[in-house]
């Protein structure tokens, strides 16, 4: 950027790479950092690195977990039903469902949804891990709690087909969630209703 000294331009560029951050916001954040004490900048940069170095993926459910905690706290909890698995797109969706206190099974996190437009096929998601997890048997129900939008529906349909041979009951969370919406932004009551009203997938 013309007229900017190099370190400032560099930080603006880095902030601009974040989702939802345009050039204007990136500039505001950069000047905020410039005005802040150096300790704040150090602790921000340390937190950024720590989230990459100290967070890994649960080898069972693929949710994020601290690198030295595997399986994650939910997978390791004997009070959680191992025979019921709720499949979600993102780690934030786990938090949303946990907040309701309505679900006592375990999770599987796909880390995305099928989206042909963006070139995201099932091989880019944690689908293989899910099939491997249910294929030995013992899982009674898989609840497909992907988002109620085009990508989420496509993902649910794709998984329903694959899971049918391994799992007696494959269900989809009920409508009532706003179509095109995101699970993570749904209010608790709507989420609870959609879990309670889940139904078998017609194939
Ligand atoms: Zn886990």
């Amino acid at each position: 950027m013309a007229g900017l000294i190099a370190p400032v331009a560099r930080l603006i560029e880095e902030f601009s790479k974040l989702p939802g951050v345009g050039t204007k916001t990136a500039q505001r954040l950069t000047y905020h950092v410039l005005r802040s004490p150096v300790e704040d900048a150090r602790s921000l940069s340390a937190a950024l690195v720590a989230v990459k170095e100290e967070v890994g993926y649960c080898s069972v459910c693929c949710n994020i977990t601290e690198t030295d905690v595997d399986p994650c706290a939910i997978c390791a909890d004997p009070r959680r039903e191992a025979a019921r698995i709720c499949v979600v797109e993102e780690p934030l969706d786990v938090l949303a469902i946990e907040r309701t206190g309505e679900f006592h099974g375990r999770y599987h996190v796909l880390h995305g949804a099928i989206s042909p437009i963006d070139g995201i096929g099932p091989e880019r998601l944690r689908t293989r891990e899910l099939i491997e997890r249910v294929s030995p048997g013992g899982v009674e129900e898989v609840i497909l709690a992907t988002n109620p939008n085009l990508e989420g529906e496509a993902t649910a349909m794709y998984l329903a087909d694959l899971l049918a041979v391994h799992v007696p009951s494959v269900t989809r969370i009920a409508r009532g969630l706003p179509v095109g919406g995101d699970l993570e932004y749904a209010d608790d009551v709507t989420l609870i209703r959609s879990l309670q009203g889940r139904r078998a997938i017609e194939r």
Side-chain angles (χ1 to χ4, degrees), residues 58-65 70-76 107 133:
C58 173
S59 58
V60 180
C61 70
C62 305
N63 197 3
I64 51 170
T65 180
D70 183 25
C72 72
I74 293 177
C75 288
Y107 293 95
R133 191 173 165 194

Side-chain angles (χ1 to χ4, degrees), residues 87-93 108-114 145-149 151-153 155 172 182-183:
V87 177
V88 294
E89 293 180 21
E90 302 292 347
L92 282 172
D93 300 331
H108 192 89
V109 181
L110 297 170
H111 295 279
I114 295 172
T146 48
N147 287 328
N149 55 25
E151 293 80 14
E153 292 298 338
T155 309
R172 177 88 174 106
D182 260 1
L183 224 62

Side-chain angles (χ1 to χ4, degrees), residues 14-96:
E14 289 303 322
F15 276 134
S16 310
K17 291 178 189 167
L18 300 174
V21 177
T23 311
K24 269 226 167 83
T25 305
Q27 285 170 344
R28 244 191 340 259
L29 290 170
T30 300
Y31 285 102
H32 171 80
V33 171
L34 269 173
R35 283 191 304 269
S36 306
V38 69
E39 301 86 68
D40 288 6
R42 285 215 178 90
S43 104
L44 173 64
S45 72
L48 285 171
V49 175
V51 89
K52 295 304 291 180
E53 287 179 348
E54 294 167 24
V55 177
Y57 296 97
C58 173
S59 58
V60 180
C61 70
C62 305
N63 197 3
I64 51 170
T65 180
E66 286 173 69
T67 40
D68 51 353
V69 182
D70 183 25
C72 72
I74 293 177
C75 288
D77 186 345
R79 291 165 302 183
R80 308 288 303 228
E81 297 172 77
R84 214 172 299 283
I85 296 176
C86 183
V87 177
V88 294
E89 293 180 21
E90 302 292 347
L92 282 172
D93 300 331
V94 172
L95 293 184

